[in-house]
Amino acid sequence: RNLRNGLTFADNFDVKIKQVTCRPDTELIVLTAEPRRVKEVVVRRAISDTYFIVDSFGWKYDSSGNVVIKAGFTGSPPATTDVKLDLIIHFG
Protein backbone atom coordinates (compact mmCIF):
# COMPACT_ATOMS: atom_id res chain seq x y z
CA ARG A 1 0.00 0.00 0.00
CA ASN A 2 2.81 2.43 0.85
CA LEU A 3 4.47 2.00 -2.56
CA ARG A 4 1.17 2.74 -4.31
CA ASN A 5 0.92 5.95 -2.28
CA GLY A 6 4.25 7.36 -3.43
CA LEU A 7 6.88 5.92 -1.10
CA THR A 8 9.91 4.57 -2.90
CA PHE A 9 12.29 1.69 -2.23
CA ALA A 10 14.92 4.23 -1.14
CA ASP A 11 12.44 5.75 1.37
CA ASN A 12 12.13 2.42 3.17
CA PHE A 13 15.62 0.90 3.05
CA ASP A 14 19.19 2.10 3.51
CA VAL A 15 20.03 2.03 -0.20
CA LYS A 16 21.43 4.19 -2.93
CA ILE A 17 19.86 3.95 -6.39
CA LYS A 18 22.45 4.71 -9.05
CA GLN A 19 22.67 4.55 -12.84
CA VAL A 20 26.13 3.83 -14.24
CA THR A 21 27.58 3.30 -17.70
CA CYS A 22 29.93 0.35 -17.95
CA ARG A 23 31.69 -1.71 -20.58
CA PRO A 24 31.43 -5.50 -20.83
CA ASP A 25 33.79 -7.44 -18.54
CA THR A 26 35.52 -4.24 -17.40
CA GLU A 27 35.80 -3.12 -13.77
CA LEU A 28 34.09 0.16 -12.90
CA ILE A 29 34.27 2.11 -9.63
CA VAL A 30 30.73 2.94 -8.51
CA LEU A 31 31.37 4.34 -5.00
CA THR A 32 34.36 6.11 -3.50
CA ALA A 33 34.99 7.13 0.08
CA GLU A 34 31.60 5.85 1.27
CA PRO A 35 31.55 5.78 5.08
CA ARG A 36 28.71 3.23 5.22
CA ARG A 37 29.52 -0.45 4.69
CA VAL A 38 28.04 -1.94 1.51
CA LYS A 39 26.07 -5.14 2.11
CA GLU A 40 25.22 -5.95 -1.52
CA VAL A 41 24.96 -4.46 -5.00
CA VAL A 42 22.06 -5.57 -7.20
CA VAL A 43 21.40 -4.85 -10.88
CA ARG A 44 17.80 -3.71 -11.42
CA ARG A 45 18.11 -3.66 -15.20
CA ALA A 46 20.34 -3.09 -18.19
CA ILE A 47 19.36 -0.20 -20.44
CA SER A 48 20.44 -0.78 -24.03
CA ASP A 49 19.07 -0.23 -27.51
CA THR A 50 20.18 -3.77 -28.41
CA TYR A 51 18.55 -5.40 -25.34
CA PHE A 52 21.64 -6.83 -23.69
CA ILE A 53 20.88 -9.11 -20.75
CA VAL A 54 23.24 -9.23 -17.78
CA ASP A 55 24.52 -12.80 -17.58
CA SER A 56 27.31 -12.24 -15.05
CA PHE A 57 27.74 -9.63 -12.36
CA GLY A 58 29.96 -9.15 -9.36
CA TRP A 59 31.17 -6.46 -7.02
CA LYS A 60 34.01 -6.02 -4.54
CA TYR A 61 36.00 -3.52 -2.53
CA ASP A 62 39.29 -2.65 -4.21
CA SER A 63 42.54 -2.02 -2.34
CA SER A 64 41.60 1.68 -1.91
CA GLY A 65 38.20 0.90 -0.38
CA ASN A 66 36.21 1.80 -3.50
CA VAL A 67 33.23 -0.33 -4.53
CA VAL A 68 33.91 -1.84 -7.96
CA ILE A 69 31.51 -3.74 -10.26
CA LYS A 70 32.03 -5.93 -13.30
CA ALA A 71 29.27 -7.17 -15.63
CA GLY A 72 29.05 -9.50 -18.61
CA PHE A 73 26.24 -9.48 -21.16
CA THR A 74 24.59 -11.95 -23.53
CA GLY A 75 25.44 -11.69 -27.18
CA SER A 76 29.08 -10.82 -26.46
CA PRO A 77 28.89 -7.08 -27.16
CA PRO A 78 32.20 -5.51 -28.23
CA ALA A 79 34.45 -4.41 -25.37
CA THR A 80 33.97 -0.78 -26.45
CA THR A 81 30.16 -0.93 -26.06
CA ASP A 82 28.73 1.29 -23.32
CA VAL A 83 25.83 -0.27 -21.40
CA LYS A 84 23.82 1.58 -18.78
CA LEU A 85 22.90 -0.29 -15.62
CA ASP A 86 20.47 0.67 -12.87
CA LEU A 87 21.97 -0.45 -9.55
CA ILE A 88 20.62 -0.78 -6.04
CA ILE A 89 23.42 -0.46 -3.48
CA HIS A 90 22.36 -1.80 -0.05
CA PHE A 91 24.11 -0.62 3.08
CA GLY A 92 24.18 -2.43 6.36
Side-chain angles (χ1 to χ4, degrees):
R1 191 181 101 196
N2 288 335
L3 293 175
R4 286 191 305 257
N5 291 326
L7 288 176
T8 66
F9 192 78
D11 291 333
N12 290 288
F13 299 95
D14 190 11
V15 299
K16 183 175 196 164
I17 308 296
K18 187 170 188 173
Q19 187 175 94
V20 298
T21 301
C22 68
R23 295 212 167 159
D25 299 313
T26 303
E27 289 189 354
L28 174 70
I29 295 172
V30 295
L31 280 180
T32 58
E34 175 62 51
R36 297 176 291 175
R37 189 82 182 147
V38 173
K39 186 174 182 179
E40 69 178 332
V41 180
V42 178
V43 178
R44 289 179 64 191
R45 66 181 176 150
I47 305 165
S48 172
D49 293 336
T50 51
Y51 305 105
F52 292 121
I53 296 172
V54 178
D55 63 9
S56 66
F57 179 80
W59 70 276
K60 67 178 183 178
Y61 278 99
D62 68 10
S63 60
S64 298
N66 301 314
V67 176
V68 176
I69 66 164
K70 186 175 179 180
F73 304 92
T74 58
S76 300
T80 57
T81 302
D82 290 334
V83 180
K84 289 183 183 176
L85 297 178
D86 279 344
L87 303 177
I88 301 173
I89 302 168
H90 292 252
F91 300 98

